[in-house]
Amino acid sequence: MPGSAASASATPASATHASAAPAGAASACAVCGSGGGAATGGGQPTGVAGTAGAFPSFHERTPAPDGAVVCHWGPARGSVGAGTGAVAGGLAGGVGTASAVLPDGSTVAALAVVNAAGSVLDPRDATLAGARYGLPGEFDHLLPPTPDEAAAWNPEKAPSFNTTIGIVATDRTLTKAQCGKLAAVAHDGLARAIRPAHTMTDGDTIFGLATCARPAPRRDTFQDVLAAAADVFSRAVADAVLSATGRPDAPAYLDVFPSALRSRP
């Protein structure tokens, strides 16, 4: 993996407002009481089957306007962990997740750390490219930005080294070769959501995993799993950008395009 991946996954010491915690942790929050197979090499993925577990849980305490503290448990998203300091074509990047349950009950999920040189916007209207693959209602709170806002966005194209990395996983039992195929097809989802992708300054890498909690899929079922892998990764990229916190050198998507927000999700 390119050396730039290390910078993408670095977490500054100042990020003390939140802390990672494994699911089912024995210790509970003093505020809310809650808690208590690999593919490597961008474009050349392989896989590891039989990997158990889930995405890490994340606990964040957020000050509310009235002085109260609101606690959240869930997967780490936005400008946290590996997503701290990430960029996405001039916008703030970060960590995003998405999942889908297929008609036969198979689950396919993705986690993406978006730190891309390419743009995450549809060049026609500045909508998030990955949002086109959302589930019904998932991105209904968004609208295309006004033409004036879209035309005004012209980020500086400074040379940079970037790496978008991620995981795509299913609960089906897969072989190592099938995990590799799962990761390879997820790269299609990356390329749908980031343009251009897989450039000479990107170290784009996706890991393919199978928990093996469900039986091996039939040929037609595996095709559905692969198709879902591309879609969930595209959605995870969009979720990462929407969840990111803006900063002076990389504003958040809705800071640049406030008219894109129809309503709070």
Side-chain angles (χ1 to χ4, degrees), residues 204-253:
D204 299 336
T205 303
I206 298 176
F207 297 76
L209 307 177
T211 68
C212 302
R214 291 170 56 83
R218 302 190 310 270
R219 180 185 297 268
D220 57 339
T221 303
F222 186 49
Q223 297 282 35
D224 294 338
V225 170
L226 294 177
D231 289 347
V232 296
F233 204 88
S234 293
R235 291 165 47 213
V237 170
D239 180 62
V241 177
L242 283 174
S243 302
T245 301
R247 54 190 189 276
D249 62 332
Y253 175 76

Short mmCIF file of all heavy atoms in Angstrom, two decimals, residues 204-253:
data_model
loop_
_atom_site.label_atom_id
_atom_site.label_comp_id
_atom_site.label_asym_id
_atom_site.label_seq_id
_atom_site.Cartn_x
_atom_site.Cartn_y
_atom_site.Cartn_z
N ASP A 204 -5.85 3.93 -4.19
CA ASP A 204 -7.16 3.37 -3.88
C ASP A 204 -7.10 1.86 -3.63
O ASP A 204 -6.63 1.10 -4.47
CB ASP A 204 -8.13 3.66 -5.03
CG ASP A 204 -8.32 5.16 -5.24
OD1 ASP A 204 -8.11 5.92 -4.28
OD2 ASP A 204 -8.69 5.55 -6.36
N THR A 205 -7.62 1.46 -2.48
CA THR A 205 -7.55 0.07 -2.05
C THR A 205 -8.85 -0.32 -1.35
O THR A 205 -9.34 0.43 -0.51
CB THR A 205 -6.38 -0.16 -1.07
OG1 THR A 205 -5.16 0.26 -1.70
CG2 THR A 205 -6.26 -1.62 -0.68
N ILE A 206 -9.40 -1.48 -1.71
CA ILE A 206 -10.61 -1.98 -1.06
C ILE A 206 -10.37 -3.41 -0.60
O ILE A 206 -9.82 -4.23 -1.34
CB ILE A 206 -11.82 -1.92 -2.02
CG1 ILE A 206 -12.10 -0.48 -2.43
CG2 ILE A 206 -13.06 -2.53 -1.35
CD1 ILE A 206 -13.21 -0.33 -3.45
N PHE A 207 -10.78 -3.70 0.61
CA PHE A 207 -10.66 -5.03 1.19
C PHE A 207 -12.00 -5.75 1.07
O PHE A 207 -13.05 -5.16 1.38
CB PHE A 207 -10.26 -4.94 2.67
CG PHE A 207 -8.92 -4.32 2.90
CD1 PHE A 207 -8.74 -2.95 2.81
CD2 PHE A 207 -7.82 -5.10 3.21
CE1 PHE A 207 -7.49 -2.36 3.02
CE2 PHE A 207 -6.57 -4.53 3.42
CZ PHE A 207 -6.41 -3.17 3.32
N GLY A 208 -11.98 -7.00 0.62
CA GLY A 208 -13.20 -7.80 0.51
C GLY A 208 -13.26 -8.83 1.61
O GLY A 208 -12.31 -9.58 1.82
N LEU A 209 -14.37 -8.88 2.35
CA LEU A 209 -14.51 -9.77 3.49
C LEU A 209 -15.79 -10.58 3.41
O LEU A 209 -16.81 -10.12 2.89
CB LEU A 209 -14.53 -8.98 4.80
CG LEU A 209 -13.41 -7.98 5.07
CD1 LEU A 209 -13.68 -7.25 6.38
CD2 LEU A 209 -12.08 -8.69 5.12
N ALA A 210 -15.76 -11.80 3.96
CA ALA A 210 -16.94 -12.64 4.10
C ALA A 210 -16.98 -13.16 5.52
O ALA A 210 -16.01 -13.76 5.99
CB ALA A 210 -16.90 -13.80 3.11
N THR A 211 -18.09 -12.94 6.23
CA THR A 211 -18.19 -13.43 7.60
C THR A 211 -18.56 -14.91 7.65
O THR A 211 -18.39 -15.55 8.70
CB THR A 211 -19.26 -12.65 8.39
OG1 THR A 211 -20.55 -12.94 7.87
CG2 THR A 211 -18.99 -11.14 8.32
N CYS A 212 -19.09 -15.43 6.55
CA CYS A 212 -19.46 -16.85 6.46
C CYS A 212 -20.57 -17.24 7.44
O CYS A 212 -20.67 -18.40 7.85
CB CYS A 212 -18.24 -17.75 6.65
SG CYS A 212 -16.91 -17.44 5.47
N ALA A 213 -21.41 -16.27 7.82
CA ALA A 213 -22.53 -16.56 8.71
C ALA A 213 -23.68 -17.24 7.97
O ALA A 213 -24.53 -17.87 8.60
CB ALA A 213 -23.03 -15.27 9.36
N ARG A 214 -23.70 -17.11 6.65
CA ARG A 214 -24.74 -17.72 5.83
C ARG A 214 -24.10 -18.63 4.79
O ARG A 214 -22.90 -18.52 4.51
CB ARG A 214 -25.59 -16.64 5.15
CG ARG A 214 -26.44 -15.83 6.13
CD ARG A 214 -27.07 -14.61 5.45
NE ARG A 214 -27.86 -14.97 4.28
CZ ARG A 214 -29.13 -15.38 4.32
NH1 ARG A 214 -29.75 -15.48 5.50
NH2 ARG A 214 -29.79 -15.66 3.22
N PRO A 215 -24.87 -19.54 4.20
CA PRO A 215 -24.28 -20.49 3.25
C PRO A 215 -23.70 -19.82 2.02
O PRO A 215 -23.97 -18.65 1.73
CB PRO A 215 -25.48 -21.39 2.87
CG PRO A 215 -26.48 -21.19 3.96
CD PRO A 215 -26.30 -19.79 4.44
N ALA A 216 -22.89 -20.57 1.30
CA ALA A 216 -22.33 -20.08 0.04
C ALA A 216 -23.46 -19.77 -0.93
O ALA A 216 -24.44 -20.51 -1.02
CB ALA A 216 -21.38 -21.11 -0.55
N PRO A 217 -23.36 -18.70 -1.69
CA PRO A 217 -24.43 -18.32 -2.61
C PRO A 217 -24.41 -19.15 -3.89
O PRO A 217 -23.38 -19.65 -4.31
CB PRO A 217 -24.12 -16.86 -2.90
CG PRO A 217 -22.63 -16.78 -2.79
CD PRO A 217 -22.25 -17.73 -1.68
N ARG A 218 -25.58 -19.28 -4.50
CA ARG A 218 -25.65 -19.85 -5.84
C ARG A 218 -25.05 -18.83 -6.82
O ARG A 218 -24.83 -17.68 -6.48
CB ARG A 218 -27.09 -20.16 -6.24
CG ARG A 218 -27.83 -21.12 -5.31
CD ARG A 218 -29.15 -21.53 -5.94
NE ARG A 218 -29.91 -20.37 -6.39
CZ ARG A 218 -30.78 -19.71 -5.64
NH1 ARG A 218 -30.98 -20.09 -4.38
NH2 ARG A 218 -31.44 -18.68 -6.14
N ARG A 219 -24.84 -19.27 -8.04
CA ARG A 219 -24.21 -18.38 -9.02
C ARG A 219 -25.03 -17.10 -9.21
O ARG A 219 -24.48 -16.00 -9.22
CB ARG A 219 -24.06 -19.11 -10.36
CG ARG A 219 -23.40 -18.24 -11.44
CD ARG A 219 -23.40 -18.97 -12.77
NE ARG A 219 -22.62 -20.18 -12.71
CZ ARG A 219 -21.32 -20.25 -13.03
NH1 ARG A 219 -20.68 -19.15 -13.42
NH2 ARG A 219 -20.69 -21.39 -12.98
N ASP A 220 -26.35 -17.23 -9.36
CA ASP A 220 -27.16 -16.04 -9.59
C ASP A 220 -27.21 -15.15 -8.35
O ASP A 220 -27.21 -13.92 -8.44
CB ASP A 220 -28.58 -16.42 -10.03
CG ASP A 220 -29.29 -17.32 -9.02
OD1 ASP A 220 -28.60 -17.97 -8.22
OD2 ASP A 220 -30.54 -17.39 -9.05
N THR A 221 -27.20 -15.77 -7.17
CA THR A 221 -27.19 -14.99 -5.94
C THR A 221 -25.88 -14.23 -5.78
O THR A 221 -25.87 -13.07 -5.34
CB THR A 221 -27.41 -15.90 -4.73
OG1 THR A 221 -28.63 -16.62 -4.88
CG2 THR A 221 -27.46 -15.10 -3.44
N PHE A 222 -24.78 -14.85 -6.16
CA PHE A 222 -23.49 -14.18 -6.05
C PHE A 222 -23.43 -12.97 -6.98
O PHE A 222 -22.84 -11.95 -6.63
CB PHE A 222 -22.36 -15.16 -6.36
CG PHE A 222 -20.99 -14.58 -6.15
CD1 PHE A 222 -20.66 -13.92 -4.97
CD2 PHE A 222 -20.01 -14.70 -7.13
CE1 PHE A 222 -19.39 -13.39 -4.76
CE2 PHE A 222 -18.74 -14.17 -6.94
CZ PHE A 222 -18.44 -13.51 -5.75
N GLN A 223 -24.06 -13.07 -8.14
CA GLN A 223 -24.12 -11.92 -9.04
C GLN A 223 -24.82 -10.75 -8.35
O GLN A 223 -24.41 -9.59 -8.49
CB GLN A 223 -24.86 -12.29 -10.33
CG GLN A 223 -24.20 -13.37 -11.16
CD GLN A 223 -23.02 -12.84 -11.97
OE1 GLN A 223 -22.29 -11.96 -11.53
NE2 GLN A 223 -22.82 -13.39 -13.15
N ASP A 224 -25.90 -11.06 -7.62
CA ASP A 224 -26.61 -10.00 -6.90
C ASP A 224 -25.74 -9.39 -5.81
O ASP A 224 -25.78 -8.17 -5.57
CB ASP A 224 -27.89 -10.55 -6.29
CG ASP A 224 -28.91 -10.97 -7.34
OD1 ASP A 224 -28.83 -10.48 -8.49
OD2 ASP A 224 -29.79 -11.80 -7.02
N VAL A 225 -24.96 -10.22 -5.12
CA VAL A 225 -24.06 -9.73 -4.08
C VAL A 225 -23.01 -8.79 -4.69
O VAL A 225 -22.71 -7.73 -4.13
CB VAL A 225 -23.38 -10.91 -3.35
CG1 VAL A 225 -22.25 -10.41 -2.44
CG2 VAL A 225 -24.40 -11.69 -2.53
N LEU A 226 -22.49 -9.16 -5.84
CA LEU A 226 -21.49 -8.33 -6.51
C LEU A 226 -22.08 -6.98 -6.93
O LEU A 226 -21.45 -5.93 -6.74
CB LEU A 226 -20.92 -9.05 -7.73
CG LEU A 226 -20.10 -10.31 -7.46
CD1 LEU A 226 -19.66 -10.96 -8.78
CD2 LEU A 226 -18.88 -9.99 -6.60
N ALA A 227 -23.27 -7.02 -7.50
CA ALA A 227 -23.91 -5.77 -7.92
C ALA A 227 -24.15 -4.86 -6.71
O ALA A 227 -23.93 -3.63 -6.78
CB ALA A 227 -25.23 -6.06 -8.62
N ALA A 228 -24.56 -5.45 -5.60
CA ALA A 228 -24.80 -4.67 -4.39
C ALA A 228 -23.50 -4.10 -3.84
O ALA A 228 -23.49 -3.00 -3.26
CB ALA A 228 -25.49 -5.53 -3.33
N ALA A 229 -22.38 -4.82 -4.02
CA ALA A 229 -21.09 -4.35 -3.52
C ALA A 229 -20.71 -3.01 -4.15
O ALA A 229 -20.21 -2.10 -3.47
CB ALA A 229 -20.01 -5.39 -3.78
N ALA A 230 -20.94 -2.88 -5.45
CA ALA A 230 -20.63 -1.61 -6.12
C ALA A 230 -21.54 -0.50 -5.61
O ALA A 230 -21.08 0.62 -5.33
CB ALA A 230 -20.78 -1.77 -7.63
N ASP A 231 -22.82 -0.81 -5.45
CA ASP A 231 -23.77 0.22 -5.02
C ASP A 231 -23.49 0.69 -3.60
O ASP A 231 -23.52 1.89 -3.31
CB ASP A 231 -25.20 -0.31 -5.12
CG ASP A 231 -25.66 -0.46 -6.56
OD1 ASP A 231 -24.99 0.06 -7.47
OD2 ASP A 231 -26.71 -1.12 -6.77
N VAL A 232 -23.24 -0.26 -2.67
CA VAL A 232 -23.03 0.16 -1.28
C VAL A 232 -21.74 0.96 -1.14
O VAL A 232 -21.66 1.87 -0.31
CB VAL A 232 -23.03 -1.03 -0.29
CG1 VAL A 232 -24.39 -1.71 -0.27
CG2 VAL A 232 -21.93 -2.02 -0.57
N PHE A 233 -20.73 0.67 -1.96
CA PHE A 233 -19.51 1.45 -1.85
C PHE A 233 -19.73 2.87 -2.37
O PHE A 233 -19.23 3.84 -1.78
CB PHE A 233 -18.34 0.79 -2.58
CG PHE A 233 -17.00 1.22 -2.03
CD1 PHE A 233 -16.43 0.53 -0.97
CD2 PHE A 233 -16.35 2.34 -2.52
CE1 PHE A 233 -15.22 0.95 -0.41
CE2 PHE A 233 -15.15 2.76 -1.98
CZ PHE A 233 -14.59 2.08 -0.92
N SER A 234 -20.48 3.02 -3.46
CA SER A 234 -20.81 4.36 -3.93
C SER A 234 -21.55 5.15 -2.87
O SER A 234 -21.26 6.33 -2.61
CB SER A 234 -21.69 4.27 -5.20
OG SER A 234 -20.99 3.74 -6.28
N ARG A 235 -22.51 4.50 -2.22
CA ARG A 235 -23.29 5.16 -1.17
C ARG A 235 -22.43 5.50 0.04
O ARG A 235 -22.62 6.55 0.67
CB ARG A 235 -24.45 4.27 -0.75
CG ARG A 235 -25.53 4.12 -1.82
CD ARG A 235 -26.47 2.95 -1.50
NE ARG A 235 -26.90 2.99 -0.11
CZ ARG A 235 -27.15 1.90 0.63
NH1 ARG A 235 -27.00 0.68 0.10
NH2 ARG A 235 -27.55 2.02 1.88
N ALA A 236 -21.48 4.63 0.36
CA ALA A 236 -20.58 4.90 1.49
C ALA A 236 -19.72 6.12 1.22
O ALA A 236 -19.42 6.90 2.14
CB ALA A 236 -19.71 3.68 1.78
N VAL A 237 -19.30 6.31 -0.02
CA VAL A 237 -18.52 7.50 -0.38
C VAL A 237 -19.37 8.75 -0.17
O VAL A 237 -18.91 9.75 0.43
CB VAL A 237 -18.03 7.42 -1.83
CG1 VAL A 237 -17.43 8.75 -2.28
CG2 VAL A 237 -17.00 6.30 -1.99
N ALA A 238 -20.62 8.72 -0.64
CA ALA A 238 -21.50 9.88 -0.45
C ALA A 238 -21.74 10.13 1.03
O ALA A 238 -21.74 11.29 1.49
CB ALA A 238 -22.82 9.64 -1.18
N ASP A 239 -21.93 9.07 1.81
CA ASP A 239 -22.16 9.22 3.24
C ASP A 239 -20.95 9.84 3.93
O ASP A 239 -21.09 10.67 4.83
CB ASP A 239 -22.47 7.86 3.85
CG ASP A 239 -22.71 7.93 5.35
OD1 ASP A 239 -23.67 8.61 5.77
OD2 ASP A 239 -21.94 7.32 6.11
N ALA A 240 -19.74 9.46 3.49
CA ALA A 240 -18.52 10.01 4.09
C ALA A 240 -18.44 11.51 3.88
O ALA A 240 -18.10 12.26 4.81
CB ALA A 240 -17.30 9.33 3.47
N VAL A 241 -18.77 11.97 2.69
CA VAL A 241 -18.69 13.40 2.39
C VAL A 241 -19.77 14.17 3.14
O VAL A 241 -19.53 15.25 3.68
CB VAL A 241 -18.80 13.63 0.87
CG1 VAL A 241 -18.78 15.12 0.55
CG2 VAL A 241 -17.65 12.93 0.15
N LEU A 242 -20.98 13.61 3.21
CA LEU A 242 -22.06 14.27 3.94
C LEU A 242 -21.79 14.32 5.44
O LEU A 242 -22.24 15.25 6.13
CB LEU A 242 -23.38 13.56 3.68
CG LEU A 242 -24.04 13.83 2.34
CD1 LEU A 242 -25.28 12.93 2.18
CD2 LEU A 242 -24.44 15.29 2.20
N SER A 243 -21.09 13.31 5.96
CA SER A 243 -20.84 13.23 7.40
C SER A 243 -19.62 14.03 7.84
O SER A 243 -19.41 14.23 9.04
CB SER A 243 -20.64 11.76 7.81
OG SER A 243 -21.77 10.98 7.47
N ALA A 244 -18.80 14.48 6.88
CA ALA A 244 -17.55 15.16 7.22
C ALA A 244 -17.79 16.55 7.78
O ALA A 244 -18.77 17.23 7.44
CB ALA A 244 -16.65 15.24 5.99
N THR A 245 -16.88 16.98 8.64
CA THR A 245 -16.90 18.32 9.22
C THR A 245 -15.97 19.23 8.44
O THR A 245 -14.80 18.89 8.22
CB THR A 245 -16.45 18.28 10.69
OG1 THR A 245 -17.33 17.40 11.42
CG2 THR A 245 -16.50 19.66 11.31
N GLY A 246 -16.46 20.38 8.02
CA GLY A 246 -15.66 21.29 7.23
C GLY A 246 -14.58 21.98 8.04
O GLY A 246 -14.66 22.06 9.27
N ARG A 247 -13.59 22.48 7.36
CA ARG A 247 -12.49 23.24 7.96
C ARG A 247 -12.02 24.26 6.93
O ARG A 247 -12.42 24.19 5.76
CB ARG A 247 -11.36 22.30 8.38
CG ARG A 247 -10.83 21.40 7.28
CD ARG A 247 -9.88 20.34 7.83
NE ARG A 247 -9.21 19.61 6.76
CZ ARG A 247 -9.74 18.56 6.13
NH1 ARG A 247 -10.94 18.12 6.46
NH2 ARG A 247 -9.07 17.96 5.17
N PRO A 248 -11.20 25.23 7.30
CA PRO A 248 -10.86 26.31 6.37
C PRO A 248 -10.31 25.86 5.03
O PRO A 248 -10.64 26.44 3.99
CB PRO A 248 -9.82 27.12 7.16
CG PRO A 248 -10.17 26.89 8.59
CD PRO A 248 -10.65 25.48 8.66
N ASP A 249 -9.48 24.79 5.03
CA ASP A 249 -8.88 24.36 3.77
C ASP A 249 -9.70 23.31 3.04
O ASP A 249 -9.36 22.91 1.92
CB ASP A 249 -7.46 23.83 4.01
CG ASP A 249 -7.47 22.61 4.93
OD1 ASP A 249 -8.39 22.51 5.76
OD2 ASP A 249 -6.55 21.78 4.82
N ALA A 250 -10.80 22.86 3.64
CA ALA A 250 -11.64 21.83 3.02
C ALA A 250 -13.05 21.94 3.60
O ALA A 250 -13.37 21.30 4.60
CB ALA A 250 -11.06 20.43 3.26
N PRO A 251 -13.90 22.74 3.00
CA PRO A 251 -15.25 22.94 3.54
C PRO A 251 -16.13 21.70 3.37
O PRO A 251 -15.89 20.87 2.49
CB PRO A 251 -15.79 24.11 2.71
CG PRO A 251 -15.03 24.01 1.40
CD PRO A 251 -13.66 23.52 1.77
N ALA A 252 -17.13 21.59 4.20
CA ALA A 252 -18.09 20.51 4.08
C ALA A 252 -19.00 20.74 2.88
O ALA A 252 -19.20 21.88 2.45
CB ALA A 252 -18.94 20.41 5.35
N TYR A 253 -19.55 19.66 2.36
CA TYR A 253 -20.39 19.75 1.15
C TYR A 253 -21.53 20.74 1.34
O TYR A 253 -21.77 21.61 0.49
CB TYR A 253 -20.94 18.36 0.82
CG TYR A 253 -21.92 18.37 -0.35
CD1 TYR A 253 -21.47 18.50 -1.66
CD2 TYR A 253 -23.29 18.26 -0.13
CE1 TYR A 253 -22.36 18.52 -2.73
CE2 TYR A 253 -24.19 18.27 -1.19
CZ TYR A 253 -23.72 18.40 -2.48
OH TYR A 253 -24.61 18.42 -3.54
#
